Amino acid sequence: MKKKPFLMSAITLGVFLSIFMVAEMAFANDALAETLTGPLKPSSKDKCPVCGMLISPFPQWNAQIIFKDGSYAFFDGPKDMFKYYLNVPKYDKLHTQSDISEVYVTEYYSAKVTKALDVTFVTGSDVMGPMGKELVAVSNDKVKTFMADHKGDKGLKFSEVTEADIPGGHMHH
């Protein structure tokens, strides 16, 4: 009879530890998922795969594509991000457009990295990026202000941008 309380205590402890471990694993997975789904911060070594420029000197122009496998590419501006996005196989032999998990750009006024689907891209403005003319990411509620202040040609949603909208001329670095 003396073994039963010990056995019950051991079972209770085992159940408690199992619940604790499952909860701990779920928390760890949430933390991992959080790091894989949010925007990343470029290091001082990250370079744009389109033009080769270092990314970190231009935080106000940071753009990035994150793939479902956790790999990513940083860009010195939306212009090069769109060149890449519209022709992934040219720049990345391991991925296609369907492998993309998320696309982020830096919004012009707030300088916050935000989902590219949540902004408008303005073409033809007088705002210059690191490599000259740029597609400027502007929050939807500020597009009219931006167009009035910076002479933009048109505002496009992410899915509307084509190769013809990407500024061709750029400064040499």
Side-chain angles (χ1 to χ4, degrees):
M1 284 291 210
K2 285 190 174 186
K3 286 186 178 178
K4 267 191 177 174
F6 175 76
L7 185 60
M8 291 304 278
S9 298
I11 290 171
T12 304
L13 181 64
V15 168
F16 174 76
L17 285 174
S18 296
I19 291 169
F20 177 77
M21 288 174 67
V22 167
E24 190 66 23
M25 284 173 19
F27 177 76
N29 284 341
D30 284 350
L32 180 63
E34 191 61 36
T35 60
L36 292 177
T37 56
L40 302 170
K41 190 165 175 60
S43 78
S44 61
K45 292 182 173 76
D46 284 310
K47 290 183 176 181
C48 175
V50 175
C51 72
M53 259 175 105
L54 285 170
I55 304 305
S56 60
F58 309 100
Q60 71 276 27
W61 293 101
N62 177 297
Q64 55 191 274
I65 289 176
I66 301 175
F67 293 98
K68 293 172 187 168
D69 66 7
S71 63
Y72 56 87
F74 286 110
F75 306 91
D76 58 308
K79 172 172 63 176
D80 280 354
M81 180 275 296
F82 274 110
K83 285 180 185 176
Y84 184 102
Y85 177 82
L86 294 171
N87 195 357
V88 176
K90 178 178 178 179
Y91 301 101
D92 183 337
K93 305 292 181 229
L94 303 176
H95 296 100
T96 64
Q97 209 176 68
S98 63
D99 296 323
I100 294 172
S101 165
E102 199 61 69
V103 179
Y104 294 97
V105 292
T106 305
E107 196 277 329
Y108 179 77
Y109 287 106
S110 69
K112 287 190 175 141
V113 178
T114 185
K115 290 183 178 184
L117 294 174
D118 296 343
V119 297
T120 298
F121 294 91
V122 178
T123 65
S125 78
D126 60 7
V127 173
M128 296 294 140
M131 290 184 51
K133 290 213 170 277
E134 186 57 84
L135 289 165
V136 183
V138 180
S139 67
N140 299 328
D141 61 335
K142 299 248 189 337
V143 173
K144 284 185 178 137
T145 302
F146 183 88
M147 297 285 250
D149 293 347
H150 299 288
K151 307 171 187 70
D153 289 337
K154 58 184 172 179
L156 301 167
K157 291 290 172 205
F158 181 81
S159 62
E160 298 171 331
V161 176
T162 67
E163 286 189 30
D165 299 307
I166 300 170
H170 62 271
M171 291 184 269
H172 294 286
H173 50 93

